Amino acid sequence: MKNCKAILPLLGAAVLLLAIFRALAPAFLSGSNLLDLAQQISVNAILAFGMTLVILSGGIDLSVGALLALGGTAAAAILPAGGFIAALAAGIGVGALFGLGNGLVTARTRIPPFIVTLATMLVARGCALRFNEGRPMSIALTQETFLALGNSRCAGVPLPAIFMGALFVLGSGLLHRTRYGQHLYAMGGSREAARFTGIGVARVEVIAYVLCGALAGVAGLIQTAQLYSAEPASGQGFELNAIAAAAVGGASFKGGRGTMLGTLLGAIIIGILDKGLNQAGVHFSFQYMVKGAVILAAVGSDVWRRKETR
């Protein structure tokens, strides 16, 4: 019942936005436009799923945008000689490796995760720019299997949207059907209490960052396939979209509160805003203002809810 009360306002907000943009742009609710919207949302939603895990632990990951770029460029570099499977392993593996570094440094040194992941963001971005001297790396049209990751459809549904749905199901199952999910919520609620009950908080934290990094790598593979090119400078600002989706979805930056369903709806709301404002001809500068206001409102709402429950 509590989750339903939290989700209903998000559903209402999504429906309201769809109605508003339908009035501003009559073609907004066409089938083709909604499928395009689902495809566009997929990358941010996948990043936001990983971000949710980290936020639940009481942390933050500012490196996901850079890891998206690095995962895509690593895959593009491996693809011609190594093939499809090696490219997948490179893209996801490099994200998971950097995530492991984030988790270990944060858990072992207690340096604030904001600082740790900010440093990782710069290192990962530098590594991405080292590939091909910072120039885009085109994906050959003969690499059909790889390009299908971002451009194919199954029963009319874009494959990236299917990946998003599958990862949503897996993420929800991880949080609500496994002991790890219980430990993650407990740790985010109170690290000391979780440690007192025997939970290995360092292990739980490291796993959250590894999964976040791996999902950034997945998002990088999809975006690279969508663009037919690996862009070393891509993903800038994507961490803000992921944080916004999690915040709008009800994840608490204090840790211990949030769901994958809320994050998915948050990503949908952010996606509707982006696409709707674009199609309505709103200047891109105003879009930044709207996102900032949305994040502030979401975090403010979380603070207010916490005060009300005390």
Side-chain angles (χ1 to χ4, degrees):
M1 183 64 69
K2 185 177 180 181
N3 285 338
C4 289
K5 288 181 179 179
I7 294 304
L8 285 176
L10 296 175
L11 288 172
V15 172
L16 177 61
L17 286 173
L18 288 173
I20 291 172
F21 289 122
R22 167 64 177 81
L24 295 175
F28 190 76
L29 290 184
S30 66
S32 60
N33 197 60
L34 290 178
L35 288 174
D36 287 343
L37 176 63
Q39 180 159 333
Q40 291 177 20
I41 288 170
S42 60
V43 168
N44 184 39
I46 291 170
L47 287 177
F49 292 155
M51 187 69 71
T52 299
L53 297 175
V54 172
I55 290 175
L56 283 172
S57 75
I60 198 77
D61 191 343
L62 300 180
S63 67
V64 293
L67 291 181
L68 176 149
L70 181 58
T73 52
I78 294 292
L79 185 62
F84 177 67
I85 299 300
L88 290 187
I92 298 173
V94 72
L97 184 61
F98 273 81
L100 177 62
N102 283 335
L104 288 175
V105 174
T106 300
R108 300 300 182 187
T109 68
R110 303 315 308 161
I111 297 173
F114 177 90
I115 300 299
V116 174
T117 59
L118 177 63
T120 300
M121 176 184 74
L122 297 174
V123 172
R125 182 67 64 187
C127 290
L129 291 170
R130 289 297 299 168
F131 283 97
N132 203 36
E133 298 182 352
R135 296 191 299 270
M137 303 169 65
S138 298
I139 306 298
L141 295 179
T142 54
Q143 300 288 351
E144 296 177 356
T145 305
F146 184 87
L147 293 173
L149 294 175
N151 302 286
S152 291
R153 298 195 174 199
C154 181
V157 180
L159 202 55
I162 294 175
F163 290 144
M164 175 181 68
L167 289 169
F168 162 72
V169 171
L170 290 173
S172 296
L174 177 68
L175 289 182
H176 303 295
R177 303 289 183 182
T178 68
R179 181 172 295 180
Y180 174 78
Q182 296 173 358
H183 290 177
L184 186 61
Y185 277 110
M187 173 192 164
S190 173
R191 183 181 295 265
E192 292 304 318
R195 185 179 288 114
F196 183 75
T197 59
I199 294 174
V201 295
R203 177 183 60 84
V204 172
E205 188 168 31
V206 169
I207 291 173
Y209 279 99
V210 169
L211 291 175
C212 186
L215 288 173
V218 172
L221 293 171
I222 292 173
Q223 172 145 306
T224 297
Q226 287 177 338
L227 297 176
Y228 289 78
S229 173
E231 305 281 348
S234 68
Q236 296 186 42
F238 280 32
E239 61 280 352
L240 300 181
N241 283 340
I243 292 169
V248 171
S252 171
F253 290 95
K254 295 288 187 179
R257 185 192 301 175
T259 64
M260 289 298 174
L261 178 56
T263 294
L264 177 60
L265 290 173
I268 290 172
I269 289 171
I270 296 297
I272 293 173
L273 279 172
D274 281 342
K275 193 170 184 66
L277 291 172
N278 275 328
Q279 292 192 349
V282 176
H283 194 271
F284 71 90
S285 61
F286 183 71
Q287 297 178 32
Y288 285 105
M289 299 178 196
V290 170
K291 283 184 185 177
V294 166
I295 294 173
L296 183 61
V299 176
S301 175
D302 174 64
V303 172
W304 179 80
R305 285 198 306 266
R306 283 179 171 270
K307 288 182 178 180
E308 288 292 310
T309 56
R310 285 177 182 173

